[in-house]
Coordinates of all heavy atoms in Angstrom, one line a residue:
L561 N 66.8 -18.0 -59.0 CA 66.5 -18.5 -60.4 C 65.1 -17.9 -60.8 O 64.2 -17.7 -60.0 CB 66.3 -20.0 -60.4 CG 67.5 -20.8 -60.8 CD1 67.1 -22.3 -61.0 CD2 68.1 -20.3 -62.1
D562 N 65.0 -17.8 -62.1 CA 63.7 -17.3 -62.6 C 63.5 -18.0 -63.9 O 64.3 -17.7 -64.9 CB 63.7 -15.8 -62.8 CG 62.3 -15.3 -62.7 OD1 61.5 -15.9 -61.9 OD2 61.9 -14.4 -63.4
I563 N 62.6 -18.9 -64.0 CA 62.4 -19.7 -65.3 C 61.1 -19.4 -65.9 O 60.0 -19.6 -65.2 CB 62.7 -21.2 -65.0 CG1 64.1 -21.4 -64.6 CG2 62.3 -22.0 -66.3 CD1 64.4 -22.7 -64.1
K564 N 61.0 -18.9 -67.1 CA 59.8 -18.6 -67.8 C 59.1 -19.8 -68.2 O 59.7 -20.8 -68.5 CB 60.1 -17.7 -69.0 CG 60.8 -16.4 -68.7 CD 59.7 -15.3 -68.2 CE 60.4 -14.1 -67.7 NZ 61.2 -14.2 -66.5
P565 N 57.7 -19.8 -68.3 CA 57.0 -21.0 -68.8 C 57.4 -21.4 -70.2 O 57.7 -20.5 -71.0 CB 55.5 -20.5 -68.8 CG 55.5 -19.3 -67.9 CD 56.9 -18.7 -68.0
G566 N 57.4 -22.7 -70.4 CA 57.7 -23.2 -71.8 C 59.1 -23.2 -72.2 O 59.4 -23.4 -73.4
R567 N 60.1 -22.9 -71.3 CA 61.5 -22.9 -71.7 C 62.1 -24.3 -71.4 O 61.7 -25.0 -70.5 CB 62.2 -21.8 -71.0 CG 61.6 -20.5 -71.0 CD 62.1 -19.5 -71.9 NE 63.5 -19.4 -72.0 CZ 64.2 -18.3 -72.4 NH1 63.5 -17.2 -72.7 NH2 65.5 -18.3 -72.6
L568 N 63.2 -24.5 -72.1 CA 64.0 -25.7 -71.8 C 65.3 -25.2 -71.2 O 66.1 -24.5 -71.9 CB 64.3 -26.5 -73.1 CG 65.4 -27.6 -73.0 CD1 65.1 -28.6 -71.9 CD2 65.5 -28.3 -74.3
V569 N 65.5 -25.5 -70.0 CA 66.7 -24.9 -69.3 C 67.6 -26.0 -68.9 O 67.2 -27.0 -68.3 CB 66.2 -24.2 -68.0 CG1 67.4 -23.6 -67.2 CG2 65.3 -23.1 -68.3
A570 N 68.9 -25.9 -69.3 CA 69.9 -26.9 -68.9 C 70.6 -26.5 -67.7 O 71.0 -25.3 -67.5 CB 70.8 -27.2 -70.0
V571 N 70.9 -27.4 -66.7 CA 71.7 -27.1 -65.6 C 73.0 -27.9 -65.7 O 73.0 -29.1 -65.8 CB 71.0 -27.5 -64.3 CG1 71.8 -27.2 -63.1 CG2 69.6 -26.8 -64.2
V572 N 74.1 -27.2 -65.8 CA 75.4 -27.9 -65.9 C 76.3 -27.5 -64.8 O 76.1 -26.5 -64.1 CB 76.1 -27.6 -67.3 CG1 75.2 -28.1 -68.4 CG2 76.3 -26.1 -67.4
G573 N 77.4 -28.3 -64.6 CA 78.3 -28.0 -63.6 C 79.2 -29.3 -63.3 O 78.8 -30.4 -63.8
A574 N 80.3 -29.1 -62.7 CA 81.2 -30.3 -62.4 C 80.5 -31.2 -61.4 O 79.5 -30.8 -60.8 CB 82.5 -29.8 -61.8
V575 N 81.1 -32.4 -61.3 CA 80.5 -33.3 -60.3 C 80.5 -32.7 -58.9 O 81.5 -32.2 -58.5 CB 81.3 -34.6 -60.3 CG1 80.7 -35.6 -59.3 CG2 81.3 -35.2 -61.7
G576 N 79.4 -32.8 -58.2 CA 79.4 -32.3 -56.8 C 79.2 -30.8 -56.7 O 79.3 -30.2 -55.7
S577 N 78.7 -30.2 -57.9 CA 78.5 -28.7 -57.8 C 77.1 -28.4 -57.3 O 76.7 -27.2 -57.2 CB 78.8 -28.1 -59.1 OG 77.9 -28.6 -60.1
G578 N 76.3 -29.4 -57.1 CA 75.0 -29.2 -56.5 C 73.8 -29.2 -57.5 O 72.8 -28.6 -57.3
K579 N 74.0 -29.9 -58.6 CA 72.9 -29.9 -59.6 C 71.7 -30.7 -59.0 O 70.6 -30.2 -59.1 CB 73.4 -30.6 -60.9 CG 74.6 -29.9 -61.5 CD 75.0 -30.5 -62.8 CE 75.5 -31.9 -62.7 NZ 76.8 -32.0 -61.9
S580 N 72.0 -31.9 -58.5 CA 70.9 -32.7 -58.0 C 70.2 -32.0 -56.8 O 69.0 -32.1 -56.6 CB 71.4 -34.1 -57.5 OG 71.8 -34.8 -58.6
S581 N 71.1 -31.3 -56.0 CA 70.5 -30.6 -54.9 C 69.6 -29.5 -55.3 O 68.6 -29.2 -54.6 CB 71.7 -30.0 -54.0 OG 72.6 -31.0 -53.7
L582 N 69.9 -28.9 -56.4 CA 69.0 -27.8 -56.9 C 67.6 -28.4 -57.2 O 66.6 -27.8 -56.9 CB 69.6 -27.2 -58.2 CG 68.7 -26.2 -58.9 CD1 68.4 -25.0 -58.1 CD2 69.3 -25.8 -60.2
M583 N 67.6 -29.6 -57.8 CA 66.3 -30.3 -58.1 C 65.6 -30.5 -56.8 O 64.4 -30.2 -56.7 CB 66.6 -31.7 -58.7 CG 67.2 -31.6 -60.1 SD 65.9 -30.9 -61.2 CE 66.8 -30.8 -62.7
S584 N 66.3 -31.0 -55.8 CA 65.7 -31.3 -54.5 C 65.1 -30.1 -53.9 O 64.1 -30.1 -53.2 CB 66.6 -32.0 -53.6 OG 67.1 -33.2 -54.1
A585 N 65.9 -29.0 -54.0 CA 65.4 -27.7 -53.4 C 64.1 -27.3 -54.1 O 63.2 -26.8 -53.4 CB 66.5 -26.7 -53.6
V586 N 64.0 -27.4 -55.4 CA 62.8 -27.0 -56.1 C 61.6 -27.9 -55.6 O 60.5 -27.5 -55.5 CB 63.0 -27.1 -57.6 CG1 61.7 -26.8 -58.3 CG2 64.0 -26.1 -58.0
L587 N 61.9 -29.2 -55.3 CA 60.9 -30.1 -54.9 C 60.5 -29.8 -53.4 O 59.6 -30.4 -52.9 CB 61.4 -31.5 -55.1 CG 61.5 -32.0 -56.5 CD1 62.1 -33.4 -56.5 CD2 60.1 -32.1 -57.1
G588 N 61.3 -29.0 -52.7 CA 61.0 -28.8 -51.3 C 61.5 -29.9 -50.4 O 61.0 -30.1 -49.3
E589 N 62.6 -30.6 -50.8 CA 63.1 -31.7 -50.0 C 64.2 -31.3 -49.1 O 64.7 -32.0 -48.3 CB 63.6 -32.8 -50.9 CG 62.6 -33.5 -51.8 CD 62.0 -34.7 -51.3 OE1 62.7 -35.5 -50.6 OE2 60.8 -35.0 -51.5
M590 N 64.7 -30.0 -49.2 CA 65.8 -29.6 -48.4 C 65.4 -28.6 -47.4 O 64.3 -28.0 -47.4 CB 66.9 -29.0 -49.3 CG 67.5 -30.0 -50.2 SD 68.6 -29.3 -51.4 CE 70.1 -29.0 -50.5
H591 N 66.3 -28.4 -46.4 CA 66.1 -27.3 -45.4 C 66.2 -26.0 -46.0 O 67.2 -25.7 -46.7 CB 67.1 -27.4 -44.3 CG 66.7 -28.4 -43.2 ND1 65.6 -28.2 -42.4 CD2 67.3 -29.5 -42.8 CE1 65.6 -29.2 -41.6 NE2 66.5 -30.0 -41.8
C592 N 65.3 -25.1 -45.8 CA 65.4 -23.8 -46.4 C 65.7 -22.8 -45.3 O 64.9 -22.6 -44.4 CB 64.1 -23.4 -47.1 SG 64.0 -21.8 -47.7
T593 N 66.9 -22.2 -45.4 CA 67.2 -21.3 -44.3 C 66.7 -19.9 -44.6 O 66.4 -19.1 -43.7 CB 68.7 -21.3 -44.0 OG1 69.4 -21.4 -45.3 CG2 69.1 -22.5 -43.2
K594 N 66.7 -19.5 -45.9 CA 66.0 -18.3 -46.2 C 65.5 -18.3 -47.6 O 65.9 -19.2 -48.4 CB 66.9 -17.1 -46.0 CG 68.1 -16.9 -46.9 CD 68.8 -15.6 -46.6 CE 69.5 -15.0 -47.8 NZ 70.9 -15.3 -47.8
G595 N 64.6 -17.4 -48.0 CA 64.0 -17.4 -49.3 C 62.9 -18.4 -49.4 O 62.5 -19.1 -48.5
F596 N 62.4 -18.5 -50.7 CA 61.3 -19.5 -50.9 C 61.3 -19.9 -52.4 O 62.0 -19.2 -53.2 CB 60.0 -18.9 -50.5 CG 59.5 -17.8 -51.3 CD1 58.7 -18.0 -52.5 CD2 59.8 -16.5 -51.0 CE1 58.3 -16.9 -53.3 CE2 59.4 -15.4 -51.8 CZ 58.6 -15.6 -52.9
V597 N 60.5 -20.9 -52.7 CA 60.4 -21.3 -54.1 C 59.0 -21.2 -54.5 O 58.1 -21.5 -53.7 CB 60.8 -22.9 -54.2 CG1 60.6 -23.4 -55.6 CG2 62.2 -23.1 -53.7
N598 N 58.7 -20.7 -55.7 CA 57.3 -20.7 -56.1 C 57.2 -21.5 -57.4 O 58.0 -21.3 -58.3 CB 56.9 -19.2 -56.4 CG 55.4 -19.2 -56.7 OD1 54.6 -19.5 -55.8 ND2 55.0 -18.9 -57.9
I599 N 56.2 -22.3 -57.5 CA 56.0 -23.1 -58.6 C 54.6 -22.9 -59.1 O 53.6 -23.0 -58.4 CB 56.2 -24.6 -58.2 CG1 57.7 -24.8 -58.1 CG2 55.7 -25.5 -59.3 CD1 58.1 -26.2 -57.7
K600 N 54.5 -22.6 -60.4 CA 53.2 -22.4 -61.0 C 52.8 -23.6 -61.8 O 53.4 -23.9 -62.9 CB 53.3 -21.2 -61.9 CG 51.9 -20.6 -62.2 CD 52.1 -19.2 -62.8 CE 51.7 -19.2 -64.2 NZ 52.0 -17.9 -64.9
G601 N 51.9 -24.4 -61.3 CA 51.5 -25.6 -62.0 C 52.0 -26.9 -61.4 O 52.6 -26.9 -60.3
S602 N 51.7 -28.0 -62.1 CA 52.0 -29.3 -61.5 C 53.4 -29.7 -61.9 O 54.0 -29.2 -62.9 CB 51.0 -30.3 -61.9 OG 51.0 -30.4 -63.3
L603 N 54.0 -30.7 -61.1 CA 55.4 -31.1 -61.4 C 55.4 -32.5 -61.9 O 54.6 -33.3 -61.5 CB 56.1 -31.1 -60.0 CG 56.8 -29.8 -59.6 CD1 57.4 -30.0 -58.3 CD2 57.8 -29.3 -60.6
A604 N 56.5 -32.8 -62.6 CA 56.9 -34.2 -62.9 C 58.4 -34.3 -62.6 O 59.1 -33.3 -62.9 CB 56.5 -34.6 -64.3
F605 N 58.8 -35.4 -62.1 CA 60.2 -35.5 -61.7 C 60.8 -36.8 -62.2 O 60.2 -37.8 -62.1 CB 60.3 -35.4 -60.2 CG 61.7 -35.6 -59.6 CD1 62.8 -34.9 -60.1 CD2 61.8 -36.5 -58.6 CE1 64.0 -35.1 -59.5 CE2 63.1 -36.7 -58.0 CZ 64.2 -36.0 -58.5
V606 N 62.0 -36.7 -62.9 CA 62.7 -37.9 -63.3 C 64.0 -37.9 -62.5 O 64.9 -37.1 -62.7 CB 63.0 -37.9 -64.8 CG1 63.8 -39.1 -65.1 CG2 61.8 -37.8 -65.6
P607 N 64.1 -38.8 -61.5 CA 65.3 -38.8 -60.6 C 66.5 -39.4 -61.4 O 66.4 -40.0 -62.4 CB 65.0 -39.7 -59.4 CG 63.9 -40.6 -60.0 CD 63.2 -39.8 -61.1
Q608 N 67.7 -39.2 -60.8 CA 68.9 -39.7 -61.4 C 68.9 -41.2 -61.4 O 69.4 -41.9 -62.3 CB 70.1 -39.1 -60.6 CG 71.4 -39.2 -61.4 CD 72.5 -38.4 -60.6 OE1 72.2 -37.9 -59.6 NE2 73.7 -38.4 -61.2
Q609 N 68.4 -41.7 -60.3 CA 68.3 -43.2 -60.1 C 66.9 -43.5 -60.4 O 66.0 -43.2 -59.6 CB 68.5 -43.5 -58.6 CG 70.0 -43.6 -58.3 CD 70.5 -44.9 -58.7 OE1 69.9 -45.9 -58.3 NE2 71.5 -45.0 -59.4
A610 N 66.6 -44.1 -61.5 CA 65.2 -44.4 -61.8 C 64.6 -45.2 -60.7 O 65.2 -46.2 -60.2 CB 65.1 -45.2 -63.1
W611 N 63.4 -44.8 -60.3 CA 62.7 -45.6 -59.3 C 61.5 -46.3 -59.9 O 60.6 -45.7 -60.5 CB 62.1 -44.6 -58.2 CG 61.3 -45.3 -57.2 CD1 61.6 -46.1 -56.2 CD2 59.8 -45.1 -57.0 NE1 60.5 -46.5 -55.5 CE2 59.4 -45.9 -56.0 CE3 58.9 -44.4 -57.7 CZ2 58.1 -46.0 -55.5 CZ3 57.5 -44.5 -57.3 CH2 57.2 -45.3 -56.2
I612 N 61.6 -47.7 -59.9 CA 60.6 -48.5 -60.6 C 59.8 -49.3 -59.6 O 60.4 -49.9 -58.7 CB 61.3 -49.4 -61.6 CG1 62.2 -48.6 -62.6 CG2 60.3 -50.3 -62.3 CD1 61.4 -47.8 -63.5
Q613 N 58.5 -49.3 -59.7 CA 57.7 -50.1 -58.8 C 57.5 -51.5 -59.2 O 57.7 -51.8 -60.4 CB 56.3 -49.5 -58.7 CG 56.1 -48.3 -57.8 CD 54.7 -47.9 -57.8 OE1 54.2 -47.3 -58.7 NE2 54.0 -48.2 -56.7
N614 N 57.2 -52.4 -58.3 CA 57.0 -53.8 -58.6 C 55.5 -53.9 -59.1 O 54.6 -54.1 -58.4 CB 57.2 -54.6 -57.4 CG 57.0 -56.1 -57.7 OD1 56.7 -56.5 -58.8 ND2 57.2 -56.9 -56.7
A615 N 55.3 -53.6 -60.4 CA 54.0 -53.6 -61.0 C 54.2 -53.8 -62.5 O 55.3 -54.1 -62.9 CB 53.3 -52.2 -60.8
T616 N 53.1 -53.8 -63.3 CA 53.4 -54.0 -64.7 C 54.0 -52.7 -65.3 O 54.0 -51.7 -64.7 CB 52.1 -54.2 -65.5 OG1 51.3 -53.0 -65.3 CG2 51.3 -55.4 -64.9
L617 N 54.6 -52.9 -66.4 CA 55.3 -51.8 -67.1 C 54.3 -50.6 -67.3 O 54.6 -49.5 -67.2 CB 55.9 -52.2 -68.4 CG 56.9 -51.3 -68.9 CD1 58.3 -51.9 -68.8 CD2 56.7 -51.0 -70.4
R618 N 53.1 -51.0 -67.7 CA 52.1 -50.0 -68.0 C 51.8 -49.2 -66.7 O 51.7 -48.0 -66.8 CB 50.8 -50.7 -68.5 CG 49.7 -49.6 -68.8 CD 48.4 -50.3 -69.2 NE 48.5 -50.9 -70.5 CZ 47.5 -51.6 -71.1 NH1 46.4 -51.8 -70.4 NH2 47.7 -52.2 -72.3
D619 N 51.6 -49.9 -65.6 CA 51.3 -49.2 -64.4 C 52.4 -48.3 -64.0 O 52.2 -47.2 -63.4 CB 51.0 -50.2 -63.2 CG 49.8 -51.0 -63.4 OD1 48.9 -50.5 -64.2 OD2 49.6 -52.0 -62.8
N620 N 53.6 -48.7 -64.3 CA 54.8 -47.8 -64.0 C 54.7 -46.5 -64.8 O 55.1 -45.5 -64.3 CB 56.1 -48.5 -64.2 CG 56.6 -49.2 -63.0 OD1 56.9 -48.5 -62.0 ND2 56.8 -50.5 -63.0
I621 N 54.2 -46.6 -66.0 CA 54.2 -45.4 -66.8 C 53.0 -44.5 -66.5 O 53.0 -43.3 -66.3 CB 54.2 -45.8 -68.3 CG1 55.5 -46.5 -68.7 CG2 54.0 -44.5 -69.2 CD1 55.6 -46.9 -70.1
L622 N 51.8 -45.2 -66.3 CA 50.6 -44.5 -66.0 C 50.7 -43.8 -64.6 O 50.3 -42.7 -64.4 CB 49.4 -45.4 -65.9 CG 49.0 -46.1 -67.2 CD1 47.8 -47.0 -67.0 CD2 48.8 -45.1 -68.3
F623 N 51.3 -44.5 -63.6 CA 51.5 -44.0 -62.3 C 50.2 -43.3 -61.8 O 50.2 -42.1 -61.3 CB 52.6 -43.0 -62.3 CG 53.3 -42.8 -61.0 CD1 53.8 -43.9 -60.3 CD2 53.3 -41.5 -60.4 CE1 54.4 -43.7 -59.0 CE2 53.9 -41.4 -59.1 CZ 54.4 -42.4 -58.5
G624 N 49.1 -44.0 -61.8 CA 47.9 -43.5 -61.2 C 47.1 -42.6 -62.1 O 46.0 -42.2 -61.7
S625 N 47.6 -42.3 -63.3 CA 46.8 -41.5 -64.2 C 45.8 -42.4 -65.0 O 46.1 -43.6 -65.1 CB 47.6 -40.7 -65.2 OG 48.7 -40.1 -64.6
P626 N 44.7 -41.9 -65.5 CA 43.8 -42.8 -66.3 C 44.5 -43.2 -67.6 O 45.4 -42.5 -68.1 CB 42.6 -41.8 -66.6 CG 43.1 -40.5 -66.3 CD 44.2 -40.5 -65.3
H627 N 44.1 -44.4 -68.0 CA 44.8 -45.0 -69.2 C 44.1 -44.5 -70.5 O 43.0 -44.7 -70.7 CB 44.6 -46.5 -69.1 CG 45.2 -47.2 -70.3 ND1 44.6 -48.3 -70.8 CD2 46.3 -47.0 -71.1 CE1 45.2 -48.7 -71.9 NE2 46.3 -47.9 -72.0
E628 N 44.9 -43.8 -71.3 CA 44.5 -43.4 -72.7 C 45.4 -44.0 -73.7 O 46.6 -43.7 -73.7 CB 44.5 -41.9 -72.8 CG 43.5 -41.2 -71.9 CD 43.7 -39.7 -72.0 OE1 44.3 -39.2 -73.0 OE2 43.4 -39.0 -71.0
D629 N 44.8 -44.8 -74.6 CA 45.7 -45.6 -75.4 C 46.6 -44.8 -76.3 O 47.8 -45.0 -76.4 CB 44.8 -46.5 -76.3 CG 45.3 -48.0 -76.2 OD1 46.3 -48.2 -75.5 OD2 44.7 -48.9 -76.9

Side-chain angles (χ1 to χ4, degrees):
L561 263 190
D562 204 37
I563 293 168
K564 299 278 176 289
R567 313 257 319 205
L568 168 55
V569 179
V571 179
V572 296
V575 179
S577 58
K579 302 184 294 295
S580 297
S581 304
L582 174 64
M583 292 292 176
S584 299
V586 174
L587 290 172
E589 298 265 326
M590 291 171 80
H591 274 295
C592 175
T593 36
K594 68 173 207 264
F596 67 90
V597 179
N598 188 66
I599 285 181
K600 200 165 108 188
S602 55
L603 273 178
F605 173 52
V606 179
Q608 196 169 3
Q609 277 279 309
W611 173 71
I612 304 291
Q613 279 185 285
N614 182 358
T616 62
L617 195 108
R618 179 186 292 177
D619 291 340
N620 266 301
I621 296 177
L622 298 181
F623 202 59
S625 312
H627 174 220
E628 293 172 26
D629 231 0

